[in-house]
Amino acid sequence: MTGPAPRLTVLTATRNRAHLLPRLAASLRDQDIAAGDVEWLVVDDGSTDGTSSCLEGQAARAEPTTGPVPLRSLRLPPGGKHRALNAGFEAARGAWIMVVHSDDWLVPGALQAALEVLDRDPPDDVFAVIFPL
């Protein structure tokens, strides 16, 4: 991916959740935000259920013409969610990271609300933000 870094990375660690990822992907495609503000980074922790194929299909649908949140993915050998999240933290391009689990989805307006909070110029010592919706 080229261009400026996104303001926010939505990070999802997953293993054998191919059946759930399309719902999360659809909720990200339905967000009303500017293209380039957010990326979705999925770290696959050694799935054996077709998660890789699912992610390839979702990435093709996440092109700028079909939604505001492009998808990147990493595949690791099985090592546990903590290792997958750590790899995601290292690979994230966004200035901020929002962890969203593979069995979750975002309600309409969730990413816009998150970006608005980040735009409020939080102090340098903020390391976590929780968004009530």
Side-chain angles (χ1 to χ4, degrees):
M1 178 186 286
T2 60
R7 295 192 293 157
L8 179 67
T9 295
V10 174
L11 173 59
T12 302
T14 191
R15 182 156 197 246
N16 293 333
R17 296 285 182 102
H19 64 289
L20 294 172
L21 289 169
R23 179 179 64 184
L24 175 53
S27 76
L28 290 166
R29 281 193 306 274
D30 290 342
Q31 297 295 308
D32 187 18
I33 58 169
D37 278 350
V38 178
E39 71 169 347
W40 183 26
L41 176 59
V42 179
V43 181
D44 178 2
D45 183 39
S47 294
T48 59
D49 69 343
T51 292
S52 292
S53 297
C54 174
L55 290 172
E56 288 172 12
Q58 294 304 322
R61 295 186 72 195
E63 293 300 319
T65 58
T66 61
V69 183
L71 167 62
R72 292 191 305 128
S73 63
L74 304 173
R75 182 166 170 78
L76 304 175
K81 185 174 185 175
H82 62 286
R83 191 175 66 97
L85 285 173
N86 285 336
F89 291 137
E90 189 172 314
R93 296 183 66 235
W96 289 86
I97 299 172
M98 171 191 277
V99 176
V100 178
H101 299 273
S102 55
D103 61 347
D104 290 333
W105 65 94
L106 299 178
V107 298
L111 291 180
Q112 182 60 41
L115 292 170
E116 287 172 6
V117 169
L118 298 177
D119 286 342
R120 292 185 195 150
D121 194 23
D124 291 335
D125 60 351
V126 169
F127 63 93
V129 178
I130 298 174
F131 303 102
L133 293 176

Coordinates of all heavy atoms in Angstrom, one line a residue, residues 2 5 10 19 25-26 28 47 50 56 60 65 67 73 81 88-89 96-97 106 109 118 126 131 133:
T2 N 0.5 2.2 -0.8 CA 1.3 3.4 -0.9 C 0.4 4.6 -0.4 O -0.7 4.4 -0.1 CB 1.8 3.7 -2.3 OG1 0.6 3.8 -3.2 CG2 2.7 2.6 -2.8
A5 N 0.1 7.4 5.6 CA -0.4 6.4 6.6 C -1.8 6.7 7.1 O -2.1 7.9 7.2 CB 0.6 6.3 7.7
V10 N -7.6 -0.8 12.3 CA -8.4 -1.7 12.9 C -7.7 -3.1 12.8 O -7.4 -3.6 11.8 CB -9.8 -1.8 12.2 CG1 -10.6 -3.0 12.8 CG2 -10.6 -0.5 12.3
H19 N -15.8 -18.2 8.7 CA -17.2 -18.0 8.7 C -17.7 -16.7 9.3 O -18.8 -16.3 9.1 CB -17.9 -19.2 9.4 CG -17.6 -19.3 10.8 ND1 -16.4 -19.7 11.3 CD2 -18.4 -19.1 11.9 CE1 -16.4 -19.7 12.7 NE2 -17.6 -19.4 13.0
A25 N -16.1 -7.7 7.9 CA -15.7 -7.0 6.6 C -16.9 -6.1 6.1 O -16.7 -4.9 5.7 CB -15.3 -8.0 5.6
A26 N -18.1 -6.6 6.1 CA -19.2 -5.9 5.6 C -19.5 -4.6 6.5 O -19.8 -3.6 6.0 CB -20.5 -6.7 5.6
L28 N -17.2 -3.0 8.1 CA -16.2 -2.0 7.8 C -16.5 -1.3 6.5 O -16.3 -0.1 6.3 CB -14.8 -2.7 7.8 CG -14.3 -3.1 9.2 CD1 -13.1 -4.0 9.0 CD2 -14.0 -1.9 10.0
S47 N -4.6 -20.4 10.6 CA -5.9 -21.0 10.3 C -5.8 -22.2 9.3 O -4.9 -22.2 8.4 CB -6.9 -20.0 9.7 OG -7.1 -19.0 10.7
G50 N -9.7 -22.2 5.6 CA -10.0 -21.3 4.5 C -10.0 -19.9 4.8 O -10.4 -19.1 4.0
E56 N -8.5 -13.1 1.0 CA -8.3 -12.7 -0.3 C -9.5 -12.1 -1.0 O -9.5 -11.1 -1.7 CB -7.7 -13.8 -1.1 CG -6.3 -14.2 -0.8 CD -5.8 -15.5 -1.4 OE1 -6.5 -16.0 -2.4 OE2 -4.7 -16.0 -1.0
A60 N -10.2 -8.1 -2.1 CA -10.6 -7.7 -3.4 C -11.9 -6.8 -3.4 O -12.0 -5.9 -4.2 CB -10.9 -8.9 -4.3
T65 N -12.8 1.7 -4.5 CA -14.1 2.0 -5.2 C -15.3 1.3 -4.5 O -16.4 1.6 -4.7 CB -14.1 1.5 -6.6 OG1 -13.8 0.2 -6.7 CG2 -13.1 2.3 -7.4
G67 N -15.3 0.6 -0.9 CA -15.4 0.9 0.5 C -14.2 1.7 1.0 O -13.2 1.8 0.4
S73 N -3.4 -8.3 5.2 CA -3.4 -9.4 6.1 C -2.0 -10.0 6.2 O -1.2 -9.8 5.3 CB -4.4 -10.5 5.7 OG -4.0 -11.0 4.4
K81 N -3.1 -16.0 20.2 CA -3.6 -14.7 19.9 C -2.6 -13.6 20.4 O -2.5 -12.6 19.7 CB -4.9 -14.5 20.6 CG -5.6 -13.2 20.3 CD -7.0 -13.2 20.9 CE -7.7 -11.9 20.5 NZ -9.1 -11.9 21.0
G88 N 0.6 -7.8 14.8 CA -0.2 -6.8 14.2 C 0.2 -5.4 14.7 O 0.2 -4.4 13.9
F89 N 0.5 -5.3 16.0 CA 0.9 -4.0 16.5 C 2.2 -3.5 15.8 O 2.3 -2.3 15.5 CB 1.2 -4.0 18.0 CG 0.0 -4.2 18.9 CD1 0.0 -5.1 19.9 CD2 -1.2 -3.5 18.6 CE1 -1.1 -5.3 20.7 CE2 -2.3 -3.7 19.4 CZ -2.3 -4.6 20.5
W96 N -3.0 5.2 15.4 CA -3.7 4.6 16.5 C -4.2 3.2 16.1 O -4.3 2.9 14.9 CB -4.9 5.5 16.9 CG -4.6 6.7 17.5 CD1 -4.3 7.9 16.9 CD2 -4.5 7.0 18.9 NE1 -4.0 8.9 17.9 CE2 -4.1 8.3 19.1 CE3 -4.7 6.2 20.1 CZ2 -4.0 8.9 20.4 CZ3 -4.5 6.8 21.3 CH2 -4.2 8.1 21.5
I97 N -4.4 2.4 17.1 CA -4.9 1.0 16.8 C -6.1 0.7 17.6 O -6.2 1.0 18.8 CB -3.8 0.0 17.2 CG1 -2.5 0.2 16.3 CG2 -4.3 -1.5 17.0 CD1 -1.3 -0.6 16.8
L106 N -18.8 -3.7 13.6 CA -19.0 -2.3 14.0 C -20.3 -1.8 13.5 O -20.7 -2.0 12.4 CB -17.8 -1.5 13.3 CG -16.4 -1.9 13.8 CD1 -15.4 -1.0 13.1 CD2 -16.3 -1.8 15.3
G109 N -21.3 4.3 11.8 CA -20.8 5.5 12.5 C -19.7 5.2 13.6 O -19.2 6.1 14.1
L118 N -10.2 10.9 18.3 CA -8.7 11.1 18.1 C -8.4 12.5 17.6 O -7.3 13.0 17.9 CB -8.3 10.0 17.0 CG -8.4 8.6 17.4 CD1 -8.0 7.7 16.3 CD2 -7.6 8.3 18.7
V126 N -1.8 9.3 26.6 CA -2.9 8.4 26.4 C -2.5 7.2 25.7 O -1.8 7.2 24.7 CB -4.0 9.1 25.6 CG1 -5.1 8.1 25.2 CG2 -4.6 10.2 26.4
F131 N -14.5 3.6 23.4 CA -15.6 4.3 22.7 C -16.9 3.8 23.1 O -17.3 2.7 22.7 CB -15.4 4.2 21.2 CG -14.1 4.7 20.7 CD1 -13.1 3.8 20.3 CD2 -13.8 6.1 20.7 CE1 -11.9 4.2 19.9 CE2 -12.6 6.5 20.2 CZ -11.6 5.6 19.8
L133 N -20.8 3.5 22.5 CA -21.7 3.7 21.4 C -23.1 3.4 21.7 O -23.4 2.6 22.5 CB -21.3 2.9 20.1 CG -20.0 3.4 19.5 CD1 -19.6 2.4 18.3 CD2 -20.0 4.8 19.0

